[in-house]
Amino acid sequence: MVDVKFLCGILATLYMVNSVTGKPPNIVFILTDDQDSEIGGMTPMVKTKKLIANEGMTFDNMFVATPVCCPSRSSIFTGKYLHNHLAINNSVAGNCSSPDFQKTQEINAFPVFMKQQGYSTFFAGKYLNLYGEDTTGGVQHVPPGWDSWVGLVGNSVYYNYNLSINGTRETHGSNYTEDYLTDVIHRRGMEFLSYQNADTPFFMMLSTPACHEPWTSAPQYEDHFSDIVAQRTGSYNVHGKDKHWIIDQAITPIPNDTATYIDGIYRNRWRTLMSVEDMVEDVVSTLLKKFGLDNTYIFYSSDNGYHIGQFSLPMDKRNLYEFDVRVPLLVRGPGIRPRSVNKENVLNIDFAATFMDLAGATIPDYIDGRSIVPLLHDNAKLPFRQHFLTEYHGESARINPGCDQLDNQGIAWCHTYAHCQCEDAWNNTYTCIRYSDGQQHYKYCEIADNDNFVEMYDLESDPYEFMNIAKTADPDLVNQLKTNLAQLSQCVGASCHGNTELYGSNLLS
Ligand SMILES: *[C@@H]1O[C@H](CO)[C@@H](O)[C@H](O)[C@H]1NC(C)=O
Ligand SMILES: *[C@@H]1O[C@H](CO)[C@@H](O)[C@H](O)[C@H]1NC(C)=O
Ligand SMILES: *[C@@H]1O[C@H](CO)[C@@H](O)[C@H](O)[C@H]1NC(C)=O
Ligand SMILES: *[C@@H]1O[C@H](CO)[C@@H](O)[C@H](O)[C@H]1NC(C)=O
Ligand SMILES: *[C@@H]1O[C@H](CO)[C@@H](O)[C@H](O)[C@H]1NC(C)=O
Ligand SMILES: *[C@@H]1O[C@H](CO)[C@@H](O)[C@H](O)[C@H]1NC(C)=O
Ligand SMILES: *[C@@H]1O[C@H](CO)[C@@H](O)[C@H](O)[C@H]1NC(C)=O
């Protein structure tokens, strides 16, 4: 019998020698918007799974540190938890793409390091939700580190938008052939690849609007999946018992016209993803033809999860539950075993450190995340991460309980189906710690509302988070998690790594 572990060790060593003697690897990072991993978001991604997952590694436990677009993207670019990058919500006042964020965070974000390491760098698509607006520097502002910049002004849309092309405005209308944003990102990416040569490593980031609202698919995909409905598994249409107020006020059963409406949204999400499938296919085949794929890493992920009907909430993200905080992560590249599945806890704050590591940069000690390169090459010290944070600041003013969040943002779905459901409010503000050691898996959350509500779940026995055990669990365990949550909420750099070396090996014993 061949010793598989031994072979893997040799392979990992060979690849490391390769990367020392050869040039740094090319990196492609595909980031989708609002694509979940818990409610079937990856099911339609047949080509993506074939071309990336089957040729590389799938991470089963990939989480975002905060489940909403701008704060999550800020974590991706800076490698920091929300309490350190301070982009707390999707508004300029909350530092989404704000002048303060640009001055204090963006200047040290990972693209700057890629550039310093000699990479040719390219970005296309949605950046931070308020990028390019007058209040955030206009289209002239090109974030540092990018050689070639195709940045969407504002939040995800599919038609009728402005781009910043290296600081110059380009206006798009609604002609599919010319303007469909996912395809524009796709074509710009191909154009960038056509200029690359084998001597200079490149970093290419393609950041699609799919599958975010308003869910406009390409015309050729409009009729796909007509028999698909939102997944009825898990907590779909189950009333959340003993949960904080925003969950408690959901209507169960979900009214029929709302259920029909959100089934339509579910299908439309999948339809928008078909254009991402086409892009992935073209990227992989172009890379293969032009460079071969032996020195290129491809990462595929999303900025937050999503719910459609879970705990009877019609649709959105922003919650502390698995459906909103788990996202896909697929990685293909040299030294990664095909069809491998990794169960370690990895986070969106790990991208920055990972890209710096691959590029041979020294990872600054203020970075909260960790390089996952050792996991990719099967030579990491395990467990990789025993505990981590989720941090979220609820959006909206303290007026009009119910739908003010949706109204403030001008999100129309509140008015287009029968019942109007509040999906966020100022007091949906929380921090959670998640602890897992391979056997025990706990989530402990403190909600900053008028009740100081606490939720705790044993994810091993209760993966759908039906039973809040905050009042029934062993008080020592609850206190330990409470203490660790307080510590982790203040962490910086290494103290955020969440591995046992820093906290003692017997955290819960
Ligand atoms: C926004 O960022 C600046 C600079 O880091 C910080 O001083 C400020 O407190 C942040 N704002 C919020 C609302 O956290
Ligand atoms: C942006 O400018 C750089 C440097 O001149 C150029 O190589 C690149 O092609 C430009 N990008 C776009 C999208 O025009
Ligand atoms: C695009 O930019 C033009 C010029 O500033 C502006 O008039 C228009 O409203 C913008 N379009 C969108 C969809 O923001
Ligand atoms: C859309 O753009 C294509 C390609 O430029 C053009 O041939 C076509 O006439 C345009 N369609 C409309 C309705 O303007
Ligand atoms: C709602 O849908 C359910 C399941 O399809 C059905 O049994 C029920 O009669 C419907 N209710 C109304 C009021 O139409
Ligand atoms: C975002 O945070 C800032 C600073 O706390 C606050 O002023 C603003 O109202 C928040 N935005 C929303 C939509 O809640
Ligand atoms: C949360 O905020 C909403 C809107 O202001 C309010 O109606 C509700 O009573 C608050 N609940 C708690 C527990 O703080």
Side-chain angles (χ1 to χ4, degrees), residues 122-123 147-150 164-166 188 191-192 195:
F122 172 76
F123 179 91
D147 293 322
S148 184
W149 175 254
V150 178
S164 166
I165 308 287
N166 282 345
R188 290 284 189 171
E191 187 184 60
F192 171 75
Y195 295 137

Side-chain angles (χ1 to χ4, degrees), residues 31 38 81 113 122 177 307 380 399 405 438 448 450:
L31 183 71
E38 285 298 280
Y81 275 125
F113 290 77
F122 172 76
T177 320
H307 56 263
I399 46 165
Q405 146 64 14
N450 295 336

Side-chain angles (χ1 to χ4, degrees), residues 173-188:
S174 57
N175 179 331
Y176 171 69
T177 320
E178 295 183 346
D179 303 315
Y180 188 67
L181 182 55
T182 307
D183 291 1
V184 169
I185 294 165
H186 175 166
R187 286 195 293 271
R188 290 284 189 171

